[in-house]
Amino acid sequence: MTIEFRDYRPLALAQMNREHEEFANLLNEAEQALLMGRAGLPYLRRVYDHCLQHFAQEERDMEYLRFPALAAHRHEHQRILQLFTDALAGYERSGDMTGVLEFLMDTIPDWFGQHMNNYDRALSLFLVQQEQKQDQKRAH
C-alpha cells in the first residue's frame, strides 16, 4: 500500500510535515524496489535511518521542552523500530521479502496514520504553543 502523504491532514508544524512527506517517499521507494525485484536492502536502510534520525530529533525536542507525553511517544517510536528491525533481520537472514513487504504495506501505513494523527499532532500543537510563549516573552 503506497502512502500518499497528501491524504493526511497536515500538522501544525511545516517541518514535521516535510519530514513525514520525506518518510512517505522513502517508504514508497522501498516498497517499489522490492515489488520490482530490485535489491531492497539499501532502500529499507534509508527508511530505517530516516526513522532513527526523525525519532531522535523529536525526542530531543520533547525532552528539552518537557513534553508531558514523552514516555508514551518514545515507547511508540521504540515499538515500531523493533518491528522494523525484526522485519529487516528476517529479510536479511532468509532473502524472503514476504515479512518485510507485509511490514511496509500493512503495518507501517496503519501505524503511521495513527501515530501522526494522535502522537505527532499533539506534539506539533505543543511545540507551536511553546514557540508562541517564547515569542511573547521576547516581545515584552
Side-chain angles (χ1 to χ4, degrees):
M1 173 182 161
T2 300
I3 290 181
E4 293 293 335
F5 182 73
R6 67 180 176 267
D7 292 344
Y8 295 90
R9 216 173 80 215
L11 300 176
L13 286 176
Q15 177 61 30
M16 286 179 85
N17 291 320
R18 283 190 296 273
E19 289 181 22
H20 288 146
E21 185 171 19
E22 181 181 348
F23 168 76
N25 291 337
L26 291 170
L27 185 68
N28 292 335
E29 286 175 11
E31 180 184 316
Q32 287 304 307
L34 287 167
L35 291 173
M36 300 298 285
R38 287 182 267 167
L41 209 47
Y43 294 93
L44 294 167
R45 289 201 187 284
R46 286 200 328 242
V47 176
Y48 185 82
D49 290 344
H50 175 83
C51 288
L52 284 177
Q53 292 168 11
H54 175 70
F55 294 169
Q57 181 60 54
E58 273 190 4
E59 290 173 16
R60 282 191 299 273
D61 291 344
M62 289 187 286
E63 286 171 359
Y64 179 74
L65 295 168
R66 294 182 173 91
F67 181 59
L70 167 63
H73 201 135
R74 178 179 280 148
H75 175 75
E76 274 302 296
H77 289 166
Q78 292 168 343
R79 187 177 71 78
I80 200 67
L81 285 173
Q82 186 59 57
L83 291 173
F84 203 154
T85 299
D86 294 346
L88 276 173
Y91 177 58
E92 285 180 296
R93 187 174 48 254
S94 69
D96 182 4
M97 68 177 76
T98 306
V100 80
L101 271 175
E102 182 180 312
F103 178 77
L104 291 177
M105 297 172 80
D106 296 329
T107 304
I108 282 280
D110 290 344
W111 177 84
F112 179 68
Q114 291 176 15
H115 186 80
M116 190 173 141
N117 284 325
N118 296 311
Y119 290 92
D120 285 347
R121 188 161 312 285
L123 176 59
S124 69
L125 291 172
F126 179 81
L127 293 173
V128 166
Q129 289 170 349
Q130 296 304 307
E131 192 174 287
Q132 289 170 345
K133 285 179 185 178
Q134 291 300 320
D135 289 347
Q136 288 172 352
K137 284 181 184 178
R138 282 190 285 265
H140 288 67

